[in-house]
């Protein structure tokens, strides 16, 4: 099994990074191969558009999905996109580590989805990328009661449905760390330990 870890957080001392480091340590401990995309550290450009593709014919009005198909057929994606797509081809499981921002992915991660999971490669007729398994590890601002927890769950289910379930990928239940900024040092350590257990359990199941 090969796991690709994508982390989307601007700050190395954040809880998101701590979770990302736990993922790396846990996978290493399990003897599972991994690769990573560290979107802020890699200065990943999240803005999809003309510059994604080299040599899309002048005169054709620009349509992103069409340009993405042209790029795939003509080996015309820019290096950054090719590099990310190659990492995806290699993996069996994708893990996305991110804070919930406006009930969604941070823009840098949304841009990674727009620019890397392209038409004809990841979805749509004749898509060449084999379907993978995907797991989110998310931090949130915090839930005060069960109805708020249910609201988070529905939002996060939607984030799976609208992207990865749409593409036919298998969903691994997420790890959700609520209200990390209000937690004590010990509570944070306990959350990190639960993440280790979550990965061990879910990825062992995913392997079988
Ligand atoms: C731009 C922005 C938008 C946010 N939107 C939400 C949100 O929609 N729901 C939520 O629960 N928390 C929201 N938060 C809080 C973050 O999710 C929270 O600060 C983060 O998960 C904590 O993890 P960190 O310490 O690793 O950054 C938002 C924070 C920022 C900066």
């Amino acid at each position: 099994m090969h796991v690709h870890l994508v982390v989307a957080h601007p700050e190395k001392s954040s809880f998101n990074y701590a979770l990302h480091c736990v993922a790396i340590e846990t996978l290493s401990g399990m003897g599972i191969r991994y690769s990573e995309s560290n979107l802020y550290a890699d200065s990943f450009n999240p803005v999809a558009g003309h510059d994604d593709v080299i040599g899309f014919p002048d005169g054709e009005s620009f349509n992103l999905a069409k340009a993405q198909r042209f790029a795939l057929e003509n080996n015309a994606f820019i290096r950054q996109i090719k590099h990310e797509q190659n990492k995806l081809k290699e993996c069996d499981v994708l893990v996305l580590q991110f804070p919930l921002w406006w009930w969604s992915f941070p823009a840098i991660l949304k841009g990674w989805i727009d620019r890397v999971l392209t038409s004809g490669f990841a979805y749509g007729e004749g898509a060449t990328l084999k379907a993978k398994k995907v797991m989110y590890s998310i931090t949130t601002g915090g839930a005060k009661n069960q109805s708020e927890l249910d609201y988070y769950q529905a939002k996060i289910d939607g984030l799976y449905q609208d992207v990865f379930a749409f593409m036919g990928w298998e969903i691994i239940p997420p790890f959700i760390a609520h209200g990390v900024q209000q937690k004590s040092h010990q509570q944070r350590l306990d959350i990190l330990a639960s993440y280790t257990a979550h990965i061990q359990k879910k990825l062992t199941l995913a392997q079988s």
Side-chain angles (χ1 to χ4, degrees):
M1 178 187 273
H2 182 145
V3 177
H4 185 56
L5 304 164
V6 175
V7 57
H9 198 288
E11 173 53 48
K12 286 221 158 88
S13 65
S14 65
F15 200 70
N16 272 266
Y17 258 78
L19 288 164
H20 177 61
C21 293
V22 163
I24 289 174
E25 280 161 27
T26 308
L27 294 174
S28 303
M30 293 171 81
I32 293 178
R33 264 187 316 140
Y34 71 89
S35 49
E36 52 181 325
S37 295
N38 187 332
L39 301 185
Y40 279 92
D42 298 345
S43 301
F44 185 81
N45 169 19
V47 182
H50 291 82
D51 294 342
D52 292 0
V53 177
I54 300 159
F56 188 61
D58 283 343
E60 281 203 41
S61 89
F62 187 80
N63 169 305
L64 184 61
K66 225 169 138 185
Q68 289 178 337
R69 282 181 176 267
F70 167 88
L72 198 66
E73 283 156 20
N74 296 282
N75 191 25
F77 274 120
I78 59 159
R79 195 192 53 79
Q80 194 176 46
I81 295 177
K82 264 194 235 170
H83 186 57
E84 293 301 316
Q85 290 186 333
N86 285 339
K87 286 193 269 191
L88 270 185
K89 283 186 213 161
E90 295 294 311
C91 78
D92 307 293
V93 177
L94 173 68
V95 174
L96 301 184
Q97 176 66 57
F98 61 97
L100 193 69
W101 282 358
W102 295 112
W103 304 99
S104 189
F105 307 103
I108 200 166
L109 178 56
K110 174 59 169 52
W112 181 88
I113 292 169
D114 292 343
R115 297 180 75 225
V116 177
L117 301 177
T118 61
S119 179
F121 171 66
Y123 73 93
E125 204 186 325
T128 54
L129 183 70
K130 137 174 130 41
K132 315 278 173 181
K133 295 174 181 166
V134 60
M135 186 183 98
Y136 295 168
S137 170
I138 307 179
T139 63
T140 80
K144 288 195 271 309
N145 51 45
Q146 189 57 46
S147 78
E148 286 189 10
L149 284 172
D150 293 344
Y151 187 70
Y152 276 105
Q153 193 61 54
K155 286 286 176 189
I156 292 165
D157 286 348
L159 292 180
Y160 272 128
Q161 290 306 319
D162 295 345
V163 182
F164 294 98
F166 171 80
M167 298 192 305
W169 291 28
E170 192 180 315
I171 308 301
I172 299 176
F175 183 78
I176 308 173
H178 287 293
V180 288
Q181 288 184 336
Q182 293 93 54
K183 304 287 188 207
S184 67
H185 180 66
Q186 186 55 51
Q187 286 172 321
R188 285 173 159 239
L189 292 177
D190 292 346
I191 295 171
L192 296 175
S194 337
Y195 188 39
T196 300
H198 185 90
I199 294 174
Q200 285 169 338
K201 186 169 168 201
K202 302 299 177 199
L203 291 194
T204 304
L205 283 175
Q207 265 176 317
S208 55

